[in-house]
């Protein structure tokens, strides 16, 4: 095994309370690189098909990448994954902070949590020493409050990943939290931890990461840091972070507003990056080794409610601000704090609350069912609903399963505006007037998430009405962006300040000693992409093309207001893009990977598994 890898995977079984280190499989390292690649490969191999996502057979896997923790910009990303209780297919979520590097320093390339404890517990990892301790005193506590308690008990030098009350209550949109404001937000992995009664994982490490060529790593790392500092966008982007994009998204008619009813929010100036900086910002906060710290640590006050919170970043501004129509940055930040402390993904949390508000407005759910009057632009309504969701109280018990499940219960046409794909709530770019972005959401392997292909800038540059050529761009982005998830690095330097992607394969070679071209890295992302797609066919009876369509609002209701007024993609256009996408991916008309594609990528096991189910 070359440098970059620690050579071990830690397996912790919560049923029999055993922990053991296993050697890292060199073939897995070669073919799947690390991070999301390891997460999905381990889940594919180890979680039985048809397992209950909240049962003992599901596993939580977390993996840094081969570049995590090394001397280069922003090398602190980690992937969490599990069979998702939100979607029923394999899920994963990306988290920044310092947890990733610490796992490497503790000596591991991945941690697998399996089985189920019968009482609240915390896994404490101190290099080779691993203990499963009682966590009764942390159970029921909010994310930041519990993280503080754990740090007080163990020491500041431990890095903690933990769940809040929503995860404990197995709310299917619960996140994993870390570092007082960083989250692995998507696909409900917090609920899987909660089902295992696992409140937290605490890690401390003292090992060095082996490097194939330390001098070259140093030179390449220096080059990369200086390269970032020299980018024209370096000084401009950091002060506002991701929320700085808010005016632009409104200007191009893509800002989720009123449960994705429209795409322009009249009050967006009051909730964007400028308002954040002027009114609530205290200091910047970044992940491990980051030259462009996008975390905006803030203090907010809304009447008698006050809180410290990291954020809100753009997605939070969009889903809690525009989509729930909260009109001030103070309210958005307070709503952000509530989600963080309860342990809820702000994207899905905002989407579920806005869905409930629209259901209430239309009389689909009554005041009596909800327990009080709720309305748009009202922080008290938001607090009431989000707390009910986290505690699974009253109507919150239904909403806690996400918009797809809630719409299936509420009926009365609510499916049309339950905004999700594959059960995952849509994130912060409304795409009725952005074909490539629409296709990116439709084809994202975990459900409607933007981070695999942020394609809206391509739509704006190349034509908003044009559907031809969009599939190729989406696939290109679905190769570049997930590369960062395999390597264990942040993509935002590449996205936001134009830092060259070619530096990363160079650094990979310096760290691991393995020469890898950009094309080989893309092929590894394709391997993971086809693995997750195949697993969805194996996991969900009838899975295929029908699961890739957006909700009917997006192809039946033209945008009603703002710059995109009257715009909409038709179902025929969506089908054109899907056909094009499937063909370029090497998939059949239902979107299933063909034998030739799987064999080309070395996924013989997928071929056998599909054959075994009569699907190939
Ligand atoms: Fe973390 Fe933001 Fe820096 Fe990325 S840009 S490493 S998310 S602080």
């Amino acid at each position: 095994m070359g440098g970059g890898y620690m050579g071990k995977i830690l397996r912790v079984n919560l049923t029999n309370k055993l922990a053991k280190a296993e050697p890292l499989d060199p073939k897995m390292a070669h073919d799947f690189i690390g991070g999301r690649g390891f997460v999905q490969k381990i889940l594919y191999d180890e979680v039985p098909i048809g397992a209950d996502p909240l049962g003992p057979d599901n596993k939580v896997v977390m993996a840094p990448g081969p570049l995590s923790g090394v001397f280069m910009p922003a090398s602190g990303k980690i992937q969490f994954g599990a069979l998702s209780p939100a979607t029923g297919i394999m899920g994963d979520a990306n988290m920044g902070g310092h947890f990733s590097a610490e796992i490497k320093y503790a000596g591991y390339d991945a941690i697998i949590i399996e089985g189920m404890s019968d009482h609240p517990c915390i896994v404490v990892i101190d290099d080779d020493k691993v203990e499963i301790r009682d966590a009764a005193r942390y159970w029921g506590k909010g994310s930041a409050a519990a993280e503080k308690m754990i740090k007080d008990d163990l020491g500041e030098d431990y890095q903690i990943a933990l769940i809040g009350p929503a995860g404990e209550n197995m709310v299917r949109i619960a996140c994993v939290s870390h570092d007082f404001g960083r989250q692995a937000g998507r696909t409900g992995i917090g609920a899987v931890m909660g089902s295992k009664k696992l409140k937290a994982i605490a890690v401390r490490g003292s090992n060095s990461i082996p490097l194939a060529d330390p001098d070259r790593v140093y030179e390449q790392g220096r080059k990369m840091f200086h390269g970032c500092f020299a980018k024209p966008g370096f000084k401009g982007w950091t002060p506002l972070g991701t929320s700085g994009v808010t005016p632009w998204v409104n200007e191009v008619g893509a800002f989720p507003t009123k449960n994705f009813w429209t795409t322009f929010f009249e009050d967006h100036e009051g909730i964007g990056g400028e308002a954040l900086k002027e009114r609530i910002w205290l200091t910047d906060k970044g992940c491990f080794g980051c030259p462009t710290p996008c975390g905006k640590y803030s203090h907010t006050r809304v009447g008698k409610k006050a809180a410290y919170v990291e954020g809100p970043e753009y997605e939070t501004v969009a889903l809690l601000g525009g989509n729930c129509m909260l009109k001030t940055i103070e309210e958005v930040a307070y709503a952000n704090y509530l989600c963080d402390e309860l342990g809820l993904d702000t994207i899905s949390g905002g989407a579920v609350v806005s869905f409930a508000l629209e259901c209430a407005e239309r009389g689909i759910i009554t005041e009596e069912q909800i327990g009080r009057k709720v309305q748009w632009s009202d922080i008290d309504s938001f607090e009431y609903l989000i707390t009910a969701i986290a505690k699974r109280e009253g109507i919150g018990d239904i909403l806690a399963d996400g918009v797809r499940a809630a719409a299936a219960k509420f009926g009365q046409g609510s499916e049309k505006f339950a905004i999700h794909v594959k059960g995952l709530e849509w994130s912060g770019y409304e795409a009725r007037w952005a074909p490539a972005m629409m296709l990116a959401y439709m084809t994202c392997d975990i459900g409607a998430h933007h981070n695999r292909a942020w394609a809206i800038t391509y739509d704006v540059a190349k034509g908003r009405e044009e559907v031809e050529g969009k599939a190729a761009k989406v696939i290109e982005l679905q190769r570049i962006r997930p590369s960062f998830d395999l390597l264990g690095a942040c993509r935002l330097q590449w996205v936001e300040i134009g830092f060259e992607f070619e530096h990363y394969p160079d650094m990979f070679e310096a760290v691991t000693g393995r020469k890898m071209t950009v094309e080989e890295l893309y092929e590894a992302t394709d391997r993971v992409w086809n693995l997750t797609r195949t697993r969805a066919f194996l996991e969900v009876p009838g899975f295929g093309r029908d699961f890739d369509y957006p909700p009917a609002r997006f192809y039946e209701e033209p945008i009603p207001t703002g710059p995109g007024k009257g715009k909409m993609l038709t179902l025929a256009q969506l089908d054109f893009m899907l056909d094009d996408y499937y063909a370029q991916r090497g998939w059949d008309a239902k979107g299933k990977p063909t034998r030739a594609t799987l064999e080309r990528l070395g996924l013989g096991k997928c071929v056998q598994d599909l054959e075994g189910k009569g699907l190939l």
Side-chain angles (χ1 to χ4, degrees):
M1 191 82 56
Y5 296 100
M6 307 309 290
K8 285 184 300 184
I9 288 179
L10 178 66
R11 183 181 297 276
V12 182
N13 188 305
L14 298 180
T15 304
N16 59 25
K17 313 284 185 277
L18 287 178
K20 61 174 178 176
E22 300 172 355
L24 175 67
D25 174 7
K27 177 150 173 55
M28 181 170 82
H30 182 275
D31 290 352
F32 290 88
I33 309 296
R36 190 169 109 80
F38 284 5
V39 165
Q40 290 296 346
K41 170 69 172 145
I42 292 168
L43 291 170
Y44 186 97
D45 288 347
E46 297 195 9
V47 176
I49 289 163
D52 176 359
L54 299 175
D57 289 339
N58 199 6
K59 305 193 182 196
V60 176
V61 182
M62 59 212 79
L67 299 190
S68 298
V70 306
F71 173 63
M72 61 168 249
S75 63
K77 286 285 185 168
I78 187 166
Q79 301 289 318
F80 281 70
L83 178 60
S84 166
T87 65
I89 57 176
M90 288 303 176
D92 56 50
N94 173 301
M95 187 175 85
H98 302 262
F99 196 65
S100 180
E102 203 68 33
I103 288 180
K104 293 282 288 286
Y105 300 153
Y108 306 105
D109 298 305
I111 298 174
I112 303 169
I113 306 283
E114 58 190 24
M116 201 170 245
S117 174
D118 57 7
H119 64 273
C121 66
I122 171 173
V123 174
V124 181
I125 301 164
D126 186 2
D127 286 341
D128 294 339
K129 190 174 158 205
V130 182
E131 289 179 85
I132 302 166
R133 297 186 193 169
D134 184 77
R137 79 186 219 91
Y138 311 128
W139 200 253
K141 298 284 190 296
S143 301
E147 186 168 359
K148 165 104 174 43
M149 287 172 75
I150 295 168
K151 286 211 169 221
D152 286 348
D153 289 348
L154 297 179
E156 270 295 320
D157 49 350
Y158 276 86
Q159 297 298 334
I160 322 288
L162 78 168
I163 58 171
E168 296 172 12
N169 294 326
M170 290 181 269
V171 171
R172 290 171 195 262
I173 57 171
C175 64
V176 182
S177 304
H178 161 62
D179 199 26
F180 306 98
R182 291 278 156 184
Q183 289 86 17
R186 310 247 59 200
T187 70
I189 293 159
V192 184
M193 280 179 65
S195 74
K196 298 182 180 307
K197 292 219 164 22
L198 176 62
K199 179 70 179 180
I201 303 147
V203 185
R204 181 173 69 172
S206 64
N207 295 280
S208 299
I209 298 172
L211 301 172
D213 186 341
D215 291 342
R216 187 172 163 195
V217 170
Y218 176 70
E219 281 311 317
Q220 178 67 9
R222 261 185 106 241
K223 194 166 129 191
M224 291 173 79
F225 273 108
H226 284 283
C228 282
F229 299 150
K231 284 287 164 196
F234 174 71
K235 284 209 172 85
W237 182 74
T238 307
L240 303 186
T242 58
S243 65
V245 80
T246 308
W248 180 82
V249 186
N250 274 279
E251 199 179 293
V252 300
F255 193 65
T257 304
K258 206 179 181 192
N259 192 36
F260 296 90
W261 173 72
T262 192
T263 64
F264 179 80
F265 187 43
E266 301 280 349
D267 298 284
H268 73 83
E269 283 178 9
I271 60 173
E274 295 286 351
L276 185 157
K277 187 77 181 180
E278 279 169 24
R279 296 184 352 214
I280 63 169
W281 173 83
L282 295 174
T283 189
D284 289 349
K285 184 164 171 268
C287 307
F288 181 90
C290 180
T292 55
C294 69
K296 304 294 152 200
Y297 198 66
S298 304
H299 183 259
T300 184
R301 185 177 293 280
V302 182
K304 290 186 177 159
K305 307 174 201 285
Y308 289 95
V309 62
E310 181 176 334
E313 46 74 59
Y314 170 72
E315 297 297 324
T316 304
V317 167
L319 273 298
L320 303 185
N323 230 28
C324 296
M325 302 188 75
L326 297 176
K327 294 180 180 174
T328 68
I329 191 65
E330 288 82 2
E331 289 173 317
V332 173
Y334 190 75
N336 188 168
Y337 157 78
L338 290 171
C339 290
D340 285 3
E341 197 59 355
L342 292 166
L344 286 159
D345 173 26
T346 54
I347 296 173
S348 287
V352 173
V353 169
S354 63
F355 170 74
L357 291 171
E358 182 161 356
C359 286
E361 185 179 58
R362 291 172 180 270
I364 291 171
I365 50 175
T366 63
E367 224 173 284
E368 199 183 356
Q369 279 173 293
I370 300 166
R372 59 160 278 174
K373 182 175 168 56
V374 292
Q375 54 199 0
W376 302 103
S377 307
D378 179 28
I379 187 68
D380 292 335
S381 297
F382 183 90
E383 182 163 12
Y384 176 83
L385 287 167
I386 207 79
T387 306
I389 291 166
K391 294 184 174 174
R392 282 193 172 274
E393 285 176 352
I395 197 93
D397 192 32
I398 296 173
L399 298 169
D401 290 336
V403 296
R404 179 173 67 178
K409 286 223 168 85
F410 297 157
Q412 302 172 69
S414 61
E415 297 88 348
K416 184 174 178 176
F417 56 84
I419 309 298
H420 73 93
V421 177
K422 302 178 184 70
L424 188 68
E425 288 77 18
W426 202 281
S427 57
Y429 300 89
E430 217 281 22
R432 267 177 286 188
W433 189 28
M437 195 70 236
M438 179 70 87
L439 184 66
Y441 277 115
M442 292 164 71
T443 57
C444 174
D445 59 349
I446 56 166
H449 195 35
H450 63 285
N451 86 336
R452 306 290 205 261
W454 190 57
I456 189 163
T457 49
Y458 186 73
D459 285 316
V460 171
K462 297 287 177 183
R464 309 286 293 269
E465 319 289 338
E466 198 53 64
V467 291
E468 277 180 42
K470 297 296 170 79
K473 186 66 185 180
V474 168
I475 292 170
E476 181 193 334
L477 291 169
Q478 288 174 344
R479 288 178 172 145
I480 300 173
R481 296 172 67 99
S483 295
F484 291 96
D485 300 335
L486 304 192
L487 296 171
C490 179
R491 66 173 68 78
L492 289 181
Q493 292 68 37
W494 171 77
V495 176
E496 303 289 357
I497 64 171
F499 186 62
E500 294 81 8
F501 180 74
E502 289 67 25
H503 286 292
Y504 294 90
D506 284 351
M507 183 53 114
F508 181 81
E509 185 180 340
V511 168
T512 65
R514 174 183 166 196
K515 186 163 182 57
M516 186 168 59
T517 63
V518 168
E519 288 68 33
E520 286 167 330
L521 186 52
Y522 290 172
E523 188 176 81
T525 70
D526 281 352
R527 193 168 290 119
V528 182
W529 202 261
N530 281 272
L531 188 84
T532 53
R533 185 77 180 182
T534 299
R535 177 70 189 219
F537 277 88
L538 297 168
E539 195 74 49
V540 181
F543 186 84
R545 190 182 188 102
D546 289 351
F547 287 69
D548 290 340
Y549 290 110
R553 164 163 286 169
F554 285 177
Y555 54 83
E556 288 183 355
E557 292 178 15
I559 297 169
T561 65
K565 187 172 177 184
K567 304 289 186 190
M568 186 186 68
L569 289 159
T570 64
L571 207 45
Q573 288 176 307
L574 300 185
D575 276 323
F576 173 87
M577 290 196 293
L578 271 186
D579 287 338
D580 194 9
Y581 179 92
Y582 291 168
Q584 293 192 44
R585 275 277 180 205
W587 297 353
D588 69 14
K590 287 188 175 161
K592 185 168 64 203
T594 62
R595 181 188 300 272
T597 299
L598 295 173
E599 285 176 349
R600 177 176 58 78
L601 294 167
L603 295 171
K605 175 92 170 55
C606 292
V607 172
Q608 286 168 15
D609 292 342
L610 287 171
E611 282 176 343
K613 282 229 165 198
L615 293 169
L616 202 64

